[in-house]
Amino acid sequence: MVEKVITLDNVSLIDFLGVENHNIKEVAAAFPMSKIISRGNEIRIKGTTPEISRISDILDSLMEHYQRYGKVTHENVQSYLSNGGFTTSGSTPPVPPNDNEVLVYGTRGVVVRAKTDNQKRLVEAAEKYDLVFAVGPAGTGKTYTAVAIAVRALKNKEVKKIIITRPAVEAGENLGFLPGDLKEKIDPYLRPIYDALDDMIPAEKLKFYTENRIIEIAPLAYMRGRTLNNAFILLDEAQNTTPMQMKMFLTRMGPTSKAIITGDRSQIDLPNKQKSGLVESVEILKNIKGISFVELDGRDVVRHRLVREIITAYEDAGQ
């Protein structure tokens, strides 16, 4: 009898092991001559060398499945057991219909995909271009889709980190009057980013990513002086950048970076007479090859049906 210990790092244990470790118990039941024990984030296997090798192959395949889809189900375990582990057989796991349209298999069964034609154009543009501008009104899924594209790139190991930033401009409020230190003041302002990430990455893994700066979420001012290599960079609420801030951000890109800039021309919160860096940059950069501009509109609104009508009413009123 030999023993092997497998450590599960950066994994939501309940999503991988199942409720009350049911997934691992299924694997153990398939190999009655071996002993498989799961404690915390460790799986301990005792058995003969050939059986341990087969069990390891199946667990490796289940881990690859988890990394792709964010969860392992009873049906997944049965499929991998019946095939002896896809890693060694060369087979491919069963996937849902239209799998190529799925951006991320998120948490709590969330499947994130582009839902409208312009969102699909945004996904296609991000695949072809290193710099993409996505401009449109509230509710069109600009930020959510951009975050999903970045998370997919990280999961596919196309980049080593994600950096998400926003200009710290208040929508009619003053951050200085909010209680707490700078992080406590800024975090609520960045809440939409955290909400999107919560949908796409298990809590334990997201905590690991943020603590180890694999995912950074910070005000735009923190980007000054940095060169961002091998990263997917998102600039959200870009309509609230000044021209100098926009130029600063655009010149942070390293040779192996990709960036998506999202914004809404109708929600500029800058002081009067201050020109928006987003508006200016779209005009200045429109003829540069290698930059894509995607326009979203009321047809892309994926929030409550009234949001589309509200946007149309404001547009009709010239607001």
Side-chain angles (χ1 to χ4, degrees), residues 216-244:
E216 291 185 53
I217 307 171
L220 181 58
Y222 286 26
M223 299 298 107
R224 187 174 298 279
R226 301 180 64 182
T227 300
L228 307 174
N229 287 317
N230 208 353
F232 210 117
I233 317 158
L234 305 181
L235 172 57
D236 193 38
E237 300 288 350
Q239 74 275 2
N240 288 328
T241 60
T242 66
M244 287 302 295

Side-chain angles (χ1 to χ4, degrees), residues 34-304:
S34 298
K35 190 173 184 179
I36 305 175
I37 301 172
S38 174
R39 289 181 180 170
N41 69 333
E42 285 188 349
I43 299 175
R44 194 174 297 271
I45 312 168
K46 292 182 180 180
T48 63
T49 300
E51 279 221 341
I52 285 181
S53 178
R54 290 176 61 200
I55 294 168
S56 294
D57 285 341
I58 288 168
L59 291 176
D60 286 345
S61 297
L62 288 171
M63 181 59 71
E64 289 178 12
H65 183 99
Y66 170 82
Q67 294 293 347
R68 183 176 184 186
Y69 300 111
K71 191 171 185 177
V72 175
T73 66
H74 163 77
E75 290 76 15
N76 301 146
V77 176
Q78 291 301 315
S79 293
Y80 283 97
L81 285 172
S82 64
N83 284 278
F86 289 107
T87 300
T88 54
S89 69
S91 302
T92 55
V95 294
N98 299 319
D99 178 66
N100 60 329
E101 294 183 1
V102 175
L103 293 171
V104 178
Y105 289 89
T107 59
R108 301 179 296 277
V110 173
V111 178
V112 182
R113 53 163 54 89
K115 296 181 179 179
T116 70
D117 289 342
N118 286 327
Q119 288 177 9
K120 291 175 183 177
R121 290 189 185 100
L122 173 55
V123 174
E124 293 167 359
E127 292 171 351
K128 296 178 183 178
Y129 298 92
D130 289 339
L131 177 59
V132 178
F133 285 79
V135 182
T140 52
K142 305 180 300 296
T143 299
Y144 198 83
T145 304
V147 171
I149 293 168
V151 170
R152 180 181 66 171
L154 183 65
K155 286 189 173 184
N156 292 343
K157 296 181 171 58
E158 296 168 13
V159 296
K160 290 185 177 179
K161 67 190 310 181
I162 296 172
I163 298 169
I164 306 175
T165 186
R166 276 183 163 193
V169 175
E170 314 92 326
E173 301 178 44
N174 192 323
L175 294 177
F177 288 102
L178 296 175
D181 59 19
L182 179 61
K183 184 179 186 302
E184 291 170 327
K185 293 175 188 288
I186 293 297
D187 272 1
Y189 185 74
L190 298 170
R191 191 69 250 170
I193 304 297
Y194 288 109
D195 288 344
L197 289 170
D198 285 341
D199 278 353
M200 301 174 198
I201 303 175
E204 293 176 26
K205 195 165 190 177
L206 180 57
K207 181 180 178 182
F208 173 85
Y209 281 160
T210 53
E211 288 180 348
N212 290 273
R213 302 182 69 184
I214 296 170
I215 295 180
E216 291 185 53
I217 307 171
L220 181 58
Y222 286 26
M223 299 298 107
R224 187 174 298 279
R226 301 180 64 182
T227 300
L228 307 174
N229 287 317
N230 208 353
F232 210 117
I233 317 158
L234 305 181
L235 172 57
D236 193 38
E237 300 288 350
Q239 74 275 2
N240 288 328
T241 60
T242 66
M244 287 302 295
Q245 286 176 327
M246 179 62 78
K247 182 180 178 182
M248 178 273 289
F249 173 81
L250 291 170
T251 54
R252 297 309 94 200
M253 290 180 65
T256 55
S257 295
K258 294 177 76 74
I260 298 179
I261 296 170
T262 65
D264 177 0
R265 296 187 187 92
S266 68
Q267 292 191 351
I268 297 173
D269 299 312
L270 293 167
N272 290 337
K273 299 183 180 179
Q274 174 67 69
K275 191 169 186 178
S276 166
L278 173 66
V279 174
E280 181 183 83
S281 62
V282 168
E283 183 63 27
I284 291 175
L285 305 176
K286 63 183 179 182
N287 294 321
I288 295 181
K289 293 182 179 179
I291 301 177
S292 178
F293 299 88
V294 178
E295 290 279 347
L296 297 97
D297 55 38
R299 292 169 297 179
D300 301 297
V301 172
V302 291
R303 293 180 182 170
H304 193 284

